[in-house]
Amino acid sequence: MKSNLRVFKDAEEMSRAAAENFIAAAAQAIAERDRFIVALNGGGTPRRLFQLLASAPDKMDWSRTHVFWGDERCVPPTDPESSYGMAKEILLDHVPIPLDNVHRVLSEPEPGEAVSDYIRVLKRFASPPLDWPRFDLILLGMGDDGHTASLFPHSPVEATAPVLAVTGDYQSRPARRVTLTPLVFNSAQNVMFLVTGASKAGTLKHVLNQESPEQYPAARIRPADGQVTWMVDEAAGSALHSKSPGSKVS
Ligand code: 6PG
């Protein structure tokens, strides 16, 4: 695994650099494999990135882009808490992506049914011997408690299935969730974490030190043959005394 930490003055600069990374990952994947397979995240942090991508739709080839989600909250797509709904409203409605290239987690049926459906969808894009695609890029966030996607503290560390239904209690957000697991995250080519705000500083330090993956699920994300890039603002990075190898202050 290659890991890279980039610290930015603020969330705006981080989001602009994230948009550049996203566009570059798309160009590289399309040049090499003729398609770009990306998983988006929910929460507040990626919203500015989505706006920036939407404001320059011709900077990448959306017709060859396939969008998935790393996790979803089990609410209807029209609910303001839906991660798909948020991405649709801010990004997907503003770029020329074919409808068939948008692979959302069905959030209306029972979570068990949604899991089976998503496993089937992922299989259609499988990179053998995996039963799911080797994602070109996966976007992830991190909660103050160290959760990522819907992998919450003290959930089982060893994943045995690519998709799980879980219940997670965090900041009054919808608790019933469907999430990809480290089996999928850790087979990606690139994972890009976006982390902002002082409330995450202490946890970020524990995660980057690889402390307790049980307590800090973000520390479970270590793609064997891929690159993890931590994009953080100064507030989130304020507890990091020394930068890890390969880190860069932007
Ligand atoms: C979700 C994501 C979750 C999110 C973190 C960070 O809530 O949809 O699954 O993992 O990325 O909670 O959220 P913020 O970006 O809002 O801090």
Side-chain angles (χ1 to χ4, degrees), residues 10 16 22 30 36 39-40 47 58 79 83 119 121 125-126 135-136 166 171 177 188 190 214 229 238-239 250:
D10 54 25
R16 289 187 178 276
F22 192 105
I30 291 167
F36 175 50
L40 306 182
R47 296 176 73 95
D58 52 349
D79 189 296
S83 297
I119 286 175
V121 172
F125 290 82
F135 278 91
D136 297 303
V166 302
Q171 290 183 348
R177 313 280 194 100
N190 293 288
E214 293 78 14
T229 304
S238 57
S250 302

Coordinates of all heavy atoms in Angstrom, one line a residue, residues 10 16 22 30 36 39-40 47 58 79 83 119 121 125-126 135-136 166 171 177 188 190 214 229 238-239 250:
D10 N -7.6 25.1 3.9 CA -9.0 25.0 4.3 C -9.7 24.1 3.4 O -9.1 23.5 2.4 CB -9.6 26.4 4.2 CG -9.5 27.1 2.8 OD1 -9.3 26.4 1.8 OD2 -9.5 28.3 2.8
R16 N -10.7 21.7 -4.1 CA -10.2 21.9 -5.4 C -9.2 20.9 -5.8 O -9.2 20.4 -7.0 CB -9.6 23.4 -5.5 CG -10.7 24.4 -5.5 CD -10.3 25.8 -5.7 NE -11.4 26.7 -5.7 CZ -12.3 26.9 -6.7 NH1 -12.0 26.4 -7.9 NH2 -13.3 27.7 -6.6
F22 N -9.7 13.7 -8.9 CA -10.8 12.9 -9.4 C -10.8 12.9 -10.9 O -10.8 11.8 -11.6 CB -12.1 13.6 -8.9 CG -13.4 12.8 -9.2 CD1 -14.0 12.1 -8.1 CD2 -14.0 12.7 -10.4 CE1 -15.2 11.4 -8.3 CE2 -15.2 12.0 -10.6 CZ -15.8 11.4 -9.5
I30 N -9.7 5.7 -18.0 CA -10.3 5.6 -19.3 C -9.2 5.3 -20.3 O -9.4 4.5 -21.3 CB -11.1 6.9 -19.6 CG1 -12.3 6.9 -18.7 CG2 -11.5 7.0 -21.1 CD1 -13.1 8.2 -18.6
F36 N -14.2 4.3 -16.3 CA -13.8 4.9 -14.9 C -14.8 4.4 -13.9 O -16.0 4.7 -14.1 CB -13.7 6.4 -15.0 CG -13.4 7.0 -13.7 CD1 -12.3 6.6 -12.8 CD2 -14.1 8.1 -13.2 CE1 -12.1 7.3 -11.6 CE2 -13.9 8.8 -12.0 CZ -12.8 8.3 -11.2
A39 N -16.6 5.1 -6.7 CA -17.6 5.0 -5.6 C -17.6 6.3 -4.9 O -16.5 6.8 -4.5 CB -17.3 3.9 -4.7
L40 N -18.8 6.9 -4.7 CA -18.9 8.2 -4.0 C -19.2 7.9 -2.6 O -19.6 6.8 -2.2 CB -20.0 9.0 -4.7 CG -19.9 9.3 -6.2 CD1 -21.1 10.1 -6.7 CD2 -18.6 9.9 -6.5
R47 N -19.5 17.6 -0.6 CA -20.5 18.4 -1.3 C -19.8 19.4 -2.2 O -20.1 19.7 -3.4 CB -21.4 19.1 -0.4 CG -22.3 18.2 0.4 CD -23.2 19.0 1.4 NE -24.2 19.7 0.7 CZ -25.5 19.3 0.5 NH1 -25.9 18.1 1.0 NH2 -26.4 20.0 -0.1
D58 N -17.2 19.2 -18.8 CA -16.4 18.8 -19.9 C -15.0 18.4 -19.6 O -14.2 18.1 -20.5 CB -16.5 19.8 -21.1 CG -16.1 21.2 -20.5 OD1 -16.0 21.3 -19.3 OD2 -15.9 22.1 -21.3
D79 N -35.2 11.6 0.0 CA -35.0 12.0 1.4 C -33.7 12.9 1.4 O -32.7 12.5 0.8 CB -34.9 10.8 2.3 CG -34.9 11.2 3.8 OD1 -33.9 11.9 4.2 OD2 -35.8 10.8 4.5
S83 N -27.7 9.6 0.3 CA -26.4 10.0 -0.3 C -26.5 10.0 -1.8 O -25.9 10.9 -2.5 CB -25.3 9.0 0.1 OG -25.1 9.0 1.5
I119 N -24.9 -6.6 -4.4 CA -23.9 -7.7 -4.7 C -24.1 -8.1 -6.2 O -23.1 -8.3 -6.9 CB -24.1 -8.9 -3.8 CG1 -23.6 -8.5 -2.4 CG2 -23.4 -10.1 -4.3 CD1 -23.8 -9.6 -1.3
V121 N -25.3 -6.2 -8.7 CA -24.8 -5.1 -9.5 C -23.3 -5.1 -9.6 O -22.7 -5.0 -10.7 CB -25.4 -3.8 -8.9 CG1 -24.7 -2.6 -9.6 CG2 -26.9 -3.7 -9.0
F125 N -19.8 -5.9 -12.9 CA -18.6 -5.2 -13.2 C -17.4 -5.8 -12.6 O -16.3 -5.2 -12.4 CB -18.8 -3.7 -12.6 CG -19.8 -2.9 -13.4 CD1 -21.1 -3.1 -13.1 CD2 -19.4 -2.1 -14.4 CE1 -22.1 -2.4 -13.8 CE2 -20.3 -1.4 -15.2 CZ -21.7 -1.5 -14.9
A126 N -17.5 -7.1 -12.2 CA -16.4 -7.8 -11.5 C -15.1 -7.8 -12.2 O -15.0 -7.8 -13.5 CB -16.8 -9.2 -11.2
F135 N -12.2 -1.0 -8.0 CA -12.5 0.4 -8.2 C -11.3 1.2 -8.6 O -10.2 1.1 -8.0 CB -13.2 1.0 -7.0 CG -14.7 0.7 -6.9 CD1 -15.1 -0.4 -6.2 CD2 -15.6 1.5 -7.5 CE1 -16.4 -0.7 -6.1 CE2 -17.0 1.2 -7.4 CZ -17.4 0.1 -6.7
D136 N -11.5 2.1 -9.6 CA -10.4 3.0 -9.9 C -10.2 4.1 -8.9 O -9.1 4.5 -8.6 CB -10.7 3.7 -11.3 CG -10.8 2.7 -12.4 OD1 -9.8 2.0 -12.6 OD2 -11.9 2.6 -13.0
V166 N -26.0 -2.7 8.0 CA -25.6 -2.4 9.4 C -26.5 -1.4 10.0 O -27.3 -0.7 9.3 CB -24.1 -1.9 9.4 CG1 -23.2 -2.9 8.8 CG2 -24.1 -0.5 8.7
Q171 N -24.6 11.1 15.1 CA -25.1 12.4 14.8 C -26.5 12.4 14.3 O -26.8 13.2 13.3 CB -24.2 13.1 13.8 CG -22.8 13.5 14.4 CD -21.9 14.2 13.4 OE1 -22.2 14.3 12.3 NE2 -20.8 14.8 13.9
R177 N -28.2 1.2 7.4 CA -27.3 1.5 6.3 C -27.0 0.2 5.5 O -27.1 -0.9 6.1 CB -26.0 2.0 6.8 CG -26.0 3.1 7.9 CD -26.2 4.4 7.2 NE -26.0 5.5 8.1 CZ -24.9 6.3 8.1 NH1 -23.9 6.0 7.3 NH2 -24.7 7.3 8.9
A188 N -9.2 -1.7 -4.1 CA -9.3 -0.5 -5.0 C -7.9 -0.1 -5.5 O -6.9 -0.4 -4.8 CB -9.9 0.7 -4.3
N190 N -7.3 3.2 -6.0 CA -7.1 4.5 -5.3 C -8.2 4.7 -4.3 O -9.4 4.6 -4.7 CB -7.1 5.7 -6.3 CG -5.9 5.7 -7.2 OD1 -4.8 6.0 -6.8 ND2 -6.2 5.4 -8.5
E214 N -10.2 -1.8 15.4 CA -11.5 -2.1 16.0 C -12.2 -0.8 16.4 O -13.4 -0.6 16.0 CB -11.4 -2.9 17.3 CG -10.8 -4.3 17.2 CD -9.3 -4.4 17.0 OE1 -8.7 -3.3 17.3 OE2 -8.8 -5.4 16.6
T229 N -4.9 8.2 -0.4 CA -4.5 9.6 -0.2 C -5.5 10.3 0.8 O -6.7 10.2 0.7 CB -4.7 10.4 -1.6 OG1 -3.9 9.7 -2.6 CG2 -4.2 11.8 -1.5
S238 N -4.4 19.3 12.7 CA -3.7 20.0 13.7 C -3.1 19.2 14.8 O -2.2 19.6 15.5 CB -4.7 21.1 14.3 OG -5.8 20.4 14.8
A239 N -3.5 17.9 14.9 CA -2.9 17.1 16.0 C -1.7 16.3 15.4 O -1.1 15.5 16.2 CB -3.9 16.1 16.6
S250 N 0.1 21.3 1.2 CA -0.2 22.0 0.0 C -0.7 23.4 0.3 O -1.2 23.7 1.4 CB -1.2 21.3 -0.8 OG -0.8 20.0 -1.1

